Amino acid sequence: QLQVQFTLGPTIATNPYHIPIVRTSLTRSIPSFFPGLHDEVVTGFKAKLPLSDNGRNEEYLNHTVDYTVKVVMASSIMQLFPRSFRPMLSNLFGFEKLIDRGIQYLEPLIEERRQALKEHGQDYQGKPNDMLSWLMDEANEEEASTRLLTRRMLTVNMAAIHTSSMTFSQVLFDLAAHPEYVMELRAEVEPIIEREGWTYEALIQMIKVDSFIKESQRLNAIGTIIMERVTQQPFVFSDGTIIPTGTFMSVAAQATHTNPKNYEDPHTFRPFRYAEKREQTARKVDIVSTHSDFVAFGHGVHACPGRFFAANELKLMLAHVLMEYDVKMPEGKGRPENKWYMTACVPDPEAEVLFRKRII
C-alpha cells in the first residue's frame, strides 16, 4: 500500500537488508540504549508541550516527519492511478529532493564514521551502537553510498514514525476518554518505578500498561486489512479452494479483532482484557505476541520486526504520561471518532486532548 518502489525507492523494495537489522540488532540492543530512549521520551514531551529548549536537532526531526507524511500521502494517491503513471507521480512529489535534504543532515555524520572505521577498524572503541552504524556494517558496496544510506535511514524512521505515532494517539484518546482507569494504571506503574527506576526491566513488569495499549490497538488497528500479499504461484487450501497466481490477498484485521468468536463483548474497550487473560491461559498474550486473533503487528515469520522496540516505546510513553501529567478530553467531548481513508484507520488529526502537569 505504500507503493515502496515509487515512494521510498527501488533499492528499498528489492534489497530490504534493514529488516533483519531491525529484527536482530535493534531488538537485542533495547536494554543497552534504554536510558537514551527514556531521555528521548522525556525530551519529546517537553518539546511538544513545551517547557524548555531540548538541545535536539529539531530540523532533522521535522524532516523525518515531513518525509513520513509525504510518503503516506503520496502512496494513497498513487493507488488511484495505473502503475504506468506512478514514476511520474513520484517525481511530482519530489522524493529525490527530500533525500537531498536528508543528506545535508546525515552526510557529516556518515563521513565522520567512515573516517573512524578507516583509522581504527571495524570494532573501534566508542563505536556508536545505533541504526546508522548497523546499516553501514551490513550495506554492500552500492548500498554504502551516502545517498542510499540516507534513503535507508529515512525509510526506517518513516516505518517507526507513522505507525507508532498513530498508535499512541489512539492510546492517548482512550486514556483521556476513560479517566476511571488512571488510578489503577498508576498503582501499577509507581511502585515499579520506585523499585526498578526507568529501566527496561521495569517495563517488562507493567502488565496492565501493556494490556491497555494492546486493547487500544485491537479496536483501532492502523487499517481494516493487513498482511497484504500477491500470490506468486497457485495455492490450494485443504478444503480444495484454489488461489490462482496474481491474486491479491490480505487479512481482515478489524473483523478479526471484533469477532465474537475471538473476544467476549468485542466492541467494548476493556483495557485490562489481556492482563486478565494472562491468568487464564498459558499462551503469551503480551503486546508483542501475535496470534490468529490479534494481527495488529502481522503474524508468523513476517510479523513486524520492529514490534519489540515499538512496544517498549509505547509502554514507556504511556508510563511517562501517567507519572507526569493529568489528561482529559475537553468538556463535553467523548473519544474522537476515527477517520477512514480507503482501508486506513487514522486517529482524528483535529482532536484535542487536554494536558496539565500532574498534581500529587
Side-chain angles (χ1 to χ4, degrees):
Q1 286 189 341
L2 285 177
Q3 303 297 313
V4 172
Q5 181 177 349
F6 306 107
T7 55
L8 302 177
T11 60
I12 305 298
T14 59
N15 184 17
Y17 75 91
H18 60 283
I19 292 179
I21 291 175
V22 170
R23 182 180 292 115
T24 56
S25 299
L26 177 63
T27 300
R28 283 198 303 261
S29 299
I30 292 172
S32 64
F33 60 57
F34 188 87
L37 181 60
H38 176 241
D39 181 68
E40 185 66 16
V41 168
V42 173
T43 304
F45 273 94
K46 286 181 178 179
K48 293 300 179 184
L49 286 182
L51 298 175
S52 61
D53 179 54
N54 54 65
R56 301 183 303 172
N57 189 331
E58 292 293 336
E59 288 188 4
Y60 176 69
L61 293 175
N62 290 336
H63 178 62
T64 62
V65 173
D66 291 343
Y67 185 79
T68 298
V69 171
K70 183 68 71 70
V71 167
V72 174
M73 180 177 66
S75 62
S76 298
I77 293 174
M78 285 181 183
Q79 292 179 63
L80 303 175
F81 289 84
R83 188 177 180 86
S84 59
F85 282 78
R86 293 172 190 173
M88 178 187 68
L89 291 171
S90 179
N91 290 332
L92 289 175
F93 277 105
F95 285 110
E96 293 308 310
K97 291 182 179 178
L98 291 173
I99 301 300
D100 291 339
R101 187 175 160 200
I103 289 174
Q104 294 176 15
Y105 301 116
L106 291 177
E107 186 171 34
L109 188 58
I110 292 172
E111 290 300 325
E112 178 183 314
R113 297 193 182 185
R114 283 177 178 154
Q115 188 63 31
L117 288 168
K118 183 178 179 180
E119 293 177 0
H120 306 294
Q122 184 69 20
D123 297 315
Y124 63 88
Q125 187 175 3
K127 181 179 179 180
N129 185 35
D130 59 21
M131 181 59 65
L132 181 57
S133 286
W134 303 329
L135 291 175
M136 293 178 71
D137 287 346
E138 296 297 326
N140 59 32
E141 185 175 351
E142 178 186 3
E143 291 283 355
S145 71
T146 298
R147 185 169 200 83
L148 291 187
L149 283 172
T150 299
R151 186 186 298 277
R152 192 75 55 168
M153 280 294 296
L154 289 172
T155 294
V156 173
N157 286 334
M158 184 281 303
I161 289 171
H162 92 282
T163 51
S164 295
S165 60
M166 288 197 295
T167 299
F168 192 67
S169 294
Q170 301 284 17
V171 170
L172 268 183
F173 290 164
D174 285 322
L175 186 68
H178 296 282
E180 65 272 23
Y181 300 119
V182 170
M183 288 186 65
E184 190 167 352
L185 288 165
R186 282 177 175 160
E188 175 182 72
V189 173
E190 287 180 328
I192 292 174
I193 296 301
E194 288 177 6
R195 183 174 63 250
E196 304 286 349
W198 288 101
T199 61
Y200 174 73
E201 290 73 20
L203 291 192
I204 294 174
Q205 300 174 40
M206 295 182 188
I207 307 303
K208 290 180 179 178
V209 167
D210 187 288
S211 179
F212 191 100
I213 296 169
K214 186 168 182 176
E215 178 72 348
S216 182
Q217 271 191 308
R218 182 183 72 83
L219 290 172
N220 306 283
I222 61 174
T224 186
I225 58 173
I226 200 168
M227 300 167 62
E228 298 92 343
R229 301 288 187 272
V230 176
T231 54
Q232 301 298 304
Q233 59 188 34
F235 184 85
V236 182
F237 284 97
S238 58
D239 65 354
T241 301
I242 299 174
I243 306 297
T245 299
T247 301
F248 175 87
M249 301 182 67
S250 63
V251 173
Q254 186 185 32
T256 298
H257 292 169
T258 56
N259 189 333
K261 293 181 180 179
N262 294 330
Y263 294 96
E264 180 184 346
D265 198 11
H267 294 282
T268 300
F269 178 71
R270 288 169 45 185
F272 307 129
R273 182 189 298 270
Y274 294 100
E276 295 164 0
K277 204 168 185 178
R278 288 190 187 215
E279 302 173 0
Q280 302 165 0
T281 178
R283 191 186 104 197
K284 288 186 176 181
V285 292
D286 60 315
I287 191 171
V288 297
S289 298
T290 69
H291 194 265
S292 58
D293 62 13
F294 184 80
V295 293
F297 284 122
H299 187 43
V301 296
H302 296 295
C304 173
R307 68 189 185 278
F308 300 95
F309 178 81
N312 280 276
E313 181 183 41
L314 292 166
K315 289 171 71 173
L316 179 54
M317 287 192 288
L318 178 54
H320 177 75
V321 168
L322 288 165
M323 294 291 283
E324 298 293 330
Y325 303 100
D326 293 318
V327 299
K328 70 173 186 176
M329 299 304 301
E331 196 67 34
K333 296 288 184 69
R335 191 198 191 283
E337 294 288 333
N338 291 328
K339 302 295 183 182
W340 289 89
Y341 300 94
M342 293 186 285
T343 63
C345 175
V346 180
D348 185 353
E350 303 298 325
E352 294 182 343
V353 173
L354 303 182
F355 279 77
R356 75 175 181 186
K357 192 68 176 174
R358 183 184 172 195
I359 301 173
I360 301 177

